[in-house]
Amino acid sequence: MSATLDIRLKRANKVYREGEVVAGVIVLASKEPLQHHGITLSMEGLVNLQLSSKSVGVFEAFYNSVKPIQLISTNIEVAKAGKIPGGKTEIPFEFPLHAKGNKVLYETYHGVFVNIQYTLRCDLKRSLLAKDLSRNCEFIVHCQPQKSRVVPTPVNFTITPDTLQNTRERSLLPKFLIRGHLDATNCVISQPLTGEVVVEHSDVPIKSIELQLVRVETCGCAEGYARDATEIQNIQIAEGDVCHGLSIPIYMIFPRLFTCPTLETTNFKVEFEVNIVVVLHDDHLITENFPLKLCRI
Amino acid sequence: MQADARMRPRGRRYEAELQRCRPEVAVVDFGDYHPLKPIMVTDTKTRRGARKGSTSSSSSSSSSVPPDPLSSMLDGTDPLSMFAAASATETLAMSRSASTGDLGRRRREKEEEVVGSDFEPWSAKRGEILARFTTTEKLSINLCMGSDRGKALSPGASAVSEKVRTRLEELDDLEEGSQRELLNLSQQDYANRIEELNQSLKEAWASDQKVKALKIVIQCSKLLSDTSVIQFYPSKFVLITDILDTFGRLVYDRIWTMCSDPRPLPDSFTLEDVNDQAKETCLNWFFKIASIRELLPRLYVEAAILKCNRFLNRSGIQETLPRLTAMIRGIGDPLVAAYARAYLCRVGMEVAPHWKDSLNLNFFDLLGTFKQLGGESVQNQLVIQRVEMPEYLTLYSPAINWILQCIAYRAPESLLTEMMERCKKLGNNALLLNSVMRAFRPEFVAARASDFIGMIKDCDEAGFPKHLLFGSLGRSLVCADPPESERLTILNEAWKVITKVRSPQDYINCAEIWVEFTCRHFTKREVNTVLTDIIKHMTPDRAFEDAYPQLQSVIRKVLLYLHDFSVLFSMERFLPFLDMFQKDSVRVEVCRSIMEVFIKHQVELTKDPVILNAMLHICKTMHDSVNSLTLEDEKRSLSLLIIGFIRMVSFGRDFEQQLSFCVEARATFCNLEPVLVQLIHTVNQLAMETRRVMRGSHSRKTAAFVRACAAYSYITIPSLSSIFTRLSLYLLSGQVALANQCLSQADAFLKAAVSLLPEVPHSISVEGKLRSSESFLLDFINNFLATLLVVPDHPEHGVLYLVRGLLNMVQDYTWEDNSDAKVRVYVSALPLLAAMSQETYIYSVPKVDSNETLYGGDPKFLSELNKLCETLIAQILDHLKTLGRDEQSVRRQGALAFSLFGVLLAHGDLRNNKLSQLAVNLWNLSHKHGYCDTRVSVRTLENIKHQAQQPDAAHLSDMVQRLALQTRT
């Protein structure tokens, strides 16, 4: 069967904000005329929460999946049962983007334990003999810009053997002095994380310096809450024994979909942190952690 | 047909005939007459051309000067150079985008405003780097496609949508087994592998597997962080950045075409012209690349698609360049970092050539990291790889040269000075110094040559090799002249260092450059000293054997500046220098180049014994290289060179000396026939020259001399293999001998030619193809017959000895079957016999008595001639008969009959009834089968009628009556 169904949104980047209209067309292509039992289009926004096996145990994780939170749900019938002529047919549609009840439309976020996703789904029902056609299309919601101004506050840091916690043998550590700063820890999500790091001195050659972006997801439920930190991405900013005394730029773009403005609700939280990881040539791993606050302006 | 018709030659008055044939003198103002000038007015009247007694035709044309087609072509731009220029920029444009037509051109023009053709492009450096940085060690490629896929391309893979996940799985399947390490690759294998990757990148792109394409690029750029087999690193960089360039172009072109849906995107497009779809795709690429885990691939890939920033925002490129520049600071290995900078500069120059700041930033950062070179990590690496510091430092040269070239391009003088000062301040600056000298304008370097020498001297011995420094300096000084007063000091200082270089290879590389400087500014004395030094260095252990290309280049440079060969050969050490070329092929090559220069630049004839000796020596070397395996072309070109030399030799009035030179040359160049031919010509010319000097009458001494010349030719000719060359030389030499009153010699030459005739083969090879020799033979015989008119009969032999001999040979020669050649010879012999029977011959040789004087119209002689004619005509008629028997040969019969008719008409006495009857018969025969050309017949008839109007030619009008034109059927 050569009939195909597709949803095309007007905006190429598929990004919408609350209050805007999600507009597009349903594209039907078929060589012969197409008999059908009705076409429907639905829009849905869901927050999926999942408990990690680590925090609550394997079985609870399996059984106690938290019920998804519905943020938006609309249904329209695009066409009644009938026949669509052969060739390409485009049916335009529009949905106003308004939250259900007093809910807030959170920003699209793809995480491990928390997923916020908005989809359009188009179904074309057909007689028993032919399979129904269906098409999903995700669109992206950005939350409203934050009202208050973000004032960047630089954060300086110095890493030496003495500043480290969680070391077993402080005396065995080679000597090093690494200084640097982050231009801000309250970051605008559409702008990169920037800063500088300088290896002032190190006895052991440096193998690598990395920026690790970490998501911290907290899911609350009746039994308590689970908080998990997982890596989103790891960006190497220095490789090999870098020149001492030369400032190395810290620069990381926040990946789309995998990050969102820091989110705190009654049921779940999504926060972000960045680790500056220095790997020495003898495989010593030095990590400096900075909590971030992401926002959208 | 009357076979017994007698040929009666008609009496001729050549003078009167000539008078009649001459056109009336046209009025031409010779003052401004030139055959190539546009013809203004020409008025010519000829009696001969007039037909049917009509008034003389006059043609006059006056026209305004038409435009010369040649100059009008050259009026605008020369189309050839236009093409050349176009194709040159075409390649440039190709490497940037596949856009075509007007758009492409405009884009090019725009870019050239900032980067002109004087900017040496990267493509010019590629080959040089690949050739220079090689290794014999085994290499490895570690490609692990998709191993860090999760991290690099889909963070949080667990959450990706169903569709994406399956797609990624598909990709994994696709590349199963591509995660591998290739070990033990030779350098060539390595290059091939990289090229394969380049191909698979293009394929992946073409089949819409963008993710796979990106993976290939990432993996490739990752290879650049591997510095094992460090000697190969620069070449590796070249190979891999080719892939990156391909990738950058693919991405840019794709986004570009996305925007050119309704109509192509204009070259100077603005953001508004870019549609959302394209922007989104572009942004996607940047996001994808921003999440590449490793530093080096992230850096290189982003640099590769730097140009795409144009689709996103105005200032993208200007913001990205400094950021990427800063990012390079994170690269620990200084070599890797330097090359990354070079790549960034390269992309920067291409995309935003006016944006110089990041170039400078790059350079300053480079200076900042310079202390790393002496650092522990580098030292350890060198120990492990067993690479010496000087060699290691040279690995940097291409990168730093390139960066500095970008910076120095059209940079103000002040910037260059500043850069130089910075280099000066830095320790271990030899490497930089080298690049400065290579990259900065030669004029800039030349003006400060003394400073540079000072700095070079201060450099650390253990660091960058000094001979390379001097090499770079020398290269600049060749392009631009240092101040006059400093030149000698510079040479002295430089040579002081160069002469101390131990390794012959390093020494000659450097010396080769400085030879040009020496030749350019100094006299033969200095050049001689330099050559002496080179000989001294290169002779021990036969070091020259490994340095032929450089030594050849030394010779080339010397020849470039010293054109005066007397000076050149008077340099003591020049010939000993040549002796260093002991490999035959190279030596011949060198001799050849010397000869080429000699032929090009030696304008005056020479008899300088120094030049002659040396050149003879050189030519002998070339000649001696010829053996049975030498190709024909090779022989020919060598011969041409030697001939060129022989033609330049002249001893002026000392003809004997010249002859003895020819004798010597003959002995020396006996294997090259063209040279021998030239020698014979030279000697013949010599004889004629002698005759000219003596104004035709030889003294006893000169007579002996010209006889010697004849003897020379006579001895030399038989050694030639080509029979036609021999024949024509015999004839020519015979003519020369005759002109010089050497009758017996001329006789001998002509006799030799005649006796050679039977040996003429039926087919000869002309330009590699076998051709029938018949036409050549006929030509020669006709020529020969013309000469025979003036050759007096030998007193001891019978009348017309040579003519008979020739005709006998012709008779006996085995002609090709079905050929009329023999009879054609007979037909053409008739005019000779007719001419011989005149009282006064049409031409004669001064001071030589021809048969006309010898026999003085003796009736016996005349009857002899007539008998001969009869025999010939009888033969011809016989042949005509035979031809008539066969249907197929009637056409030939007609043609032959007509030619005989022509001869009779021109030379026969047609008052004789029999003869005129024969002529009429021949005419009818030729028209019998309708094969003859009517136009020719008509014109012949007209001519006869015209002739008939002459007094005493009344008989012709009778004949005309009997000549019927063929009626068309």
Side-chain angles (χ1 to χ4, degrees), chain B residues 638-650:
Chain B
L638 288 180
S639 308
L640 277 179
L641 290 175
I642 298 179
I643 289 172
F645 161 61
I646 291 174
R647 290 161 72 116
M648 291 321 287
V649 177
S650 164

Side-chain angles (χ1 to χ4, degrees), chain A:
Chain A
M1 268 315 271
S2 57
T4 56
L5 181 66
D6 199 9
I7 304 175
R8 278 193 206 143
L9 288 172
K10 246 185 195 162
R11 289 191 189 164
N13 59 3
K14 300 181 180 177
V15 173
Y16 296 89
R17 295 189 169 192
E18 187 166 3
E20 287 179 335
V21 171
V22 181
V25 285
I26 299 167
V27 183
L28 270 159
S30 159
K31 275 185 187 142
E32 303 100 44
L34 189 67
Q35 194 79 41
H36 67 95
H37 292 264
I39 304 170
T40 55
L41 184 66
S42 62
M43 176 165 82
E44 195 167 49
L46 279 181
V47 180
N48 271 304
L49 299 177
Q50 208 176 6
L51 295 176
S52 81
S53 53
K54 208 166 63 193
S55 341
V56 292
V58 181
F59 292 103
E60 283 92 336
F62 191 72
Y63 293 112
N64 286 351
S65 273
V66 187
K67 210 180 140 212
I69 307 163
Q70 204 169 44
L71 299 174
I72 191 169
S73 174
T74 328
N75 236 310
I76 47 171
E77 186 171 39
V78 179
K80 292 223 164 63
K83 203 173 189 181
I84 289 170
K88 194 168 139 186
T89 312
E90 292 195 351
I91 308 168
F93 64 84
E94 280 189 355
F95 280 108
L97 194 58
H98 286 299
K100 203 177 166 188
N102 56 354
K103 298 248 172 59
V104 188
L105 287 185
Y106 304 128
E107 189 159 327
T108 299
Y109 167 70
H110 292 188
V112 182
F113 303 107
V114 179
N115 262 305
I116 306 171
Q117 213 170 353
Y118 298 84
T119 49
L120 286 171
R121 181 188 168 91
C122 179
D123 287 292
L124 183 143
K125 292 210 169 55
R126 289 202 284 186
S127 60
L128 287 170
L129 292 173
K131 248 178 148 181
D132 292 353
L133 290 177
S134 146
R135 188 80 179 180
N136 271 325
C137 167
E138 183 178 0
F139 65 96
I140 294 154
V141 172
H142 278 180
C143 63
Q144 295 295 354
Q146 188 179 304
K147 295 284 181 321
S148 58
R149 276 177 53 101
V150 187
V151 186
T153 44
V155 181
N156 291 314
F157 60 89
T158 309
I159 315 173
T160 63
D162 301 328
T163 63
L164 299 182
Q165 302 147 9
N166 193 16
T167 46
R168 267 159 285 159
E169 293 281 353
R170 200 175 293 270
S171 56
L172 290 181
L173 274 179
K175 281 213 181 86
F176 58 83
L177 169 60
I178 296 164
R179 291 192 296 109
H181 69 268
L182 288 178
D183 290 333
T185 50
N186 46 349
C187 304
V188 179
I189 196 167
S190 54
Q191 281 161 19
L193 172 77
T194 53
E196 272 184 354
V197 58
V198 185
V199 180
E200 295 288 0
H201 163 81
S202 169
D203 280 355
V204 176
I206 307 254
K207 194 178 185 182
S208 172
I209 302 178
E210 288 153 23
L211 295 176
Q212 190 183 33
L213 183 64
V214 174
R215 50 169 106 76
V216 184
E217 293 162 318
T218 315
C219 296
C221 64
E223 290 84 25
Y225 70 94
R227 181 186 152 96
D228 292 281
T230 46
E231 179 187 292
I232 302 175
Q233 68 176 8
N234 195 348
I235 297 280
Q236 188 187 39
I237 57 166
E239 181 187 17
D241 189 15
V242 290
C243 189
H244 294 178
L246 199 67
S247 69
I248 297 159
I250 292 174
Y251 183 89
M252 179 164 67
I253 292 175
F254 294 110
R256 294 186 295 187
L257 301 183
F258 305 109
T259 52
C260 65
T262 306
L263 194 57
E264 241 177 287
T265 71
T266 45
N267 295 334
F268 64 95
K269 282 202 276 188
V270 181
E271 295 155 306
F272 298 93
E273 292 174 356
V274 68
N275 290 327
I276 295 177
V277 185
V278 179
V279 189
L280 298 183
H281 220 271
D282 50 8
D283 284 336
H284 271 106
L285 198 87
I286 304 154
T287 307
E288 187 81 6
N289 178 273
F290 302 91
L292 298 178
K293 186 162 166 47
L294 301 188
C295 60
R296 186 175 293 281
I297 52 166

